[in-house]
Amino acid sequence: MIRPIAAAGAFLMLAACSSRGGIDAACQDLSFEGTRFTVCRADPQKHDLLLVDKGMDGRPMRDFTGIEPRLGDRFPRIAFAMNAGMFDATGLPIGYYVEDGAEQKPLNRRPGPGNFHMQPNGVFWGDAKGWHVATTDDFAANKPDHVRFATQSGPMLLIDGKLHPKLADNGTSLTVRNAVGVGLNGSAWFAISNEPVSFGRFARLFRDRLAAPDALYLDGAVSRLWDPVSKRLDGGTPIGPMVVALQR
């Protein structure tokens, strides 16, 4: 179940209510402001995070089925996987992308249309100090020497606890969406709406329920989750880069 460990608005802990093949549940359904979500918690003491995009043949995988051959003997340790950023028509990331310490796409600071270019956009990344979400400008100004993984997307949903200045509290643009935020305890929260949701309500989920002061929109309409413990495997439109949480 999801259990609050402090006053309202403080972060939540996921207590594993089940397991499968030795892997503890990391994802749980919840309701926030009347909308149904699934949230998955990556614990820095328990999980490793990595990004994957191309399959063994060097081409974009486009769905979760290509993860098994890519991970090999690490595959049974998957706690969950989710699409992790916007991509072009071929499935390649359109923004900054680092996989296994290797930069595959440079930081994208060009203006343009669409959600990705709604400034400020941002970067989710991992380094020796942990997992982070920051605006693209902040990341560029304070880029660490070694980035283990990174994906750039947009817009930012939350910046230091405040909604992105261009987001309405509860606008008329409604779709299934997914995003990532880093909580006060260093956990990475990955959330996907199980029904159409506005940007504003989605941002407040991270701020008011998950206590993640910085959150980054990953995508919408094509949002998909794979949770092996609950046997959830979303299908649909081909996706691009994916984030995978491995239980140690």
Side-chain angles (χ1 to χ4, degrees), residues 89-117:
T90 70
L92 294 174
I94 62 174
Y96 182 64
Y97 184 78
V98 176
E99 186 175 316
D100 292 332
E103 180 178 314
Q104 298 185 14
K105 188 86 172 183
L107 204 64
N108 183 347
R109 305 180 76 174
R110 299 187 301 273
N115 292 325
F116 179 89
H117 296 283

Side-chain angles (χ1 to χ4, degrees), residues 19-24 76-77 229 247:
S19 63
R20 187 166 184 253
I23 303 300
D24 297 327
R77 297 194 286 116
V229 174
Q247 182 172 310

Side-chain angles (χ1 to χ4, degrees), residues 57-243:
D57 59 2
R59 295 184 296 179
M61 289 188 288
R62 308 311 309 272
D63 59 35
F64 298 125
T65 60
I67 292 179
E68 182 172 4
R70 266 295 308 273
L71 296 188
D73 59 6
R74 294 180 295 173
F75 178 76
R77 297 194 286 116
I78 291 180
F80 64 88
M82 182 180 281
N83 58 297
M86 297 179 187
F87 49 92
D88 63 20
T90 70
L92 294 174
I94 62 174
Y96 182 64
Y97 184 78
V98 176
E99 186 175 316
D100 292 332
E103 180 178 314
Q104 298 185 14
K105 188 86 172 183
L107 204 64
N108 183 347
R109 305 180 76 174
R110 299 187 301 273
N115 292 325
F116 179 89
H117 296 283
M118 187 188 297
Q119 300 301 319
N121 57 13
V123 179
F124 169 59
W125 82 98
D127 61 12
K129 295 181 180 180
W131 303 325
H132 319 272
V133 169
T135 67
T136 295
D137 287 347
D138 285 346
F139 175 79
N142 302 284
K143 184 178 178 181
D145 292 334
H146 178 67
V147 177
R148 292 175 176 171
F149 69 82
T151 182
Q152 183 185 10
S153 193
M156 291 286 290
L157 294 179
L158 288 174
I159 307 162
D160 293 329
K162 296 181 180 180
L163 268 67
H164 189 292
K166 296 180 182 178
L167 298 184
D169 285 344
N170 201 27
T172 58
S173 173
L174 304 176
T175 190
V176 171
R177 296 183 153 107
N178 71 301
V180 60
V182 176
L184 297 176
N185 65 343
S187 294
W189 289 98
F190 297 86
I192 183 169
S193 66
N194 293 323
E195 57 188 293
V197 66
S198 69
F199 277 113
R201 179 169 294 168
F202 203 17
R204 288 192 298 277
L205 169 75
F206 283 91
R207 184 189 67 187
D208 300 341
R209 190 72 181 268
L210 304 178
D214 297 286
L216 177 65
Y217 183 62
L218 292 175
D219 217 332
V222 300
S223 300
R224 291 164 65 179
L225 170 67
W226 177 29
D227 175 15
V229 174
S230 71
K231 299 183 180 180
R232 172 174 173 172
L233 179 61
D234 294 346
T237 304
I239 54 178
M242 289 161 262
V243 60

